């Protein structure tokens, strides 16, 4: 099999994962897209390992060893990432990335006059009232 077939498939998988990371708002779908990107990298590592081992006639298989490390890192990433997403969902009630970013910056969109106030300004306004 030619090297072009797995390389093109890997590029398509990686681009699909990149689109998922950039376009999705749900944190779990972003984590799934990152996993898709890591699987594209794994496919590339194995394909180039097979191609280089045929060319150099070596039996080192360093690409397959790197693939095992990538799988281990991906498993740890998804475990920690899901734990963080679940903890944030319990505390905030949403896993929407845009809403989480807005609350992390301290902006509130529901001011009494329709204006945008930071959390500190809202607390000062409530203390003086």
């Amino acid at each position: 099999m030619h090297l072009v077939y797995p390389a093109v498939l890997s590029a398509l998988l990686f681009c699909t994962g990149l689109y998922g990371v950039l376009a999705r708002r749900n944190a779990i779908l972003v984590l799934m897209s990152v996993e898709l990107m890591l699987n594209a990298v794994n496919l590339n590592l194995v394909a180039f390992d097979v191609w280089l081992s045929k060319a150099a006639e070596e039996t080192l298989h360093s690409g397959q060893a790197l693939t095992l490390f990538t799988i281990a890192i991906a498993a740890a990433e998804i475990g920690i990432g899901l734990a963080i997403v679940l903890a944030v969902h319990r505390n905030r009630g949403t896993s929407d990335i845009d809403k989480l970013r807005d609350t992390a910056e301290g902006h509130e969109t529901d001011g009494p006059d329709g204006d945008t106030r930071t959390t500190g300004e809202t607390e000062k306004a409530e203390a003086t009232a």
Side-chain angles (χ1 to χ4, degrees):
M1 180 164 60
H2 295 286
L3 180 64
V4 176
Y5 298 131
V8 168
L9 179 63
S10 175
L12 289 174
L13 284 174
F14 191 84
C15 289
T16 304
L18 185 64
Y19 172 74
V21 167
L22 295 176
R24 299 292 178 202
R25 292 184 180 171
N26 191 351
I28 294 176
L29 292 178
V30 170
L31 287 174
M32 289 174 61
S33 298
V34 169
E35 288 292 323
L36 194 63
M37 291 168 53
L38 287 173
N39 285 330
V41 170
N42 287 340
L43 180 63
N44 247 350
L45 283 172
V46 171
F48 276 100
D49 179 54
V50 169
W51 183 66
L52 289 175
S53 67
K54 285 182 181 178
E57 296 182 8
E58 295 178 359
T59 58
L60 187 59
H61 298 297
S62 59
Q64 293 179 11
L66 285 174
T67 299
L68 290 175
F69 284 118
T70 307
I71 290 170
I73 289 171
E77 175 259 336
I78 200 68
I80 292 172
L82 280 175
I84 291 172
V85 168
L86 286 174
V88 167
H89 183 64
R90 281 187 197 141
N91 288 338
R92 305 279 169 101
T94 184
S95 62
D96 189 6
I97 294 175
D98 292 334
K99 290 180 183 176
L100 295 176
R101 185 184 61 221
D102 290 341
T103 57
E105 293 173 354
H107 295 290
E108 274 189 31
T109 57
D110 300 329
D113 298 329
D115 59 343
T116 303
R117 293 186 179 181
T118 61
T119 306
E121 292 173 352
T122 305
E123 290 174 359
K124 288 178 186 176
E126 289 176 358
T128 57

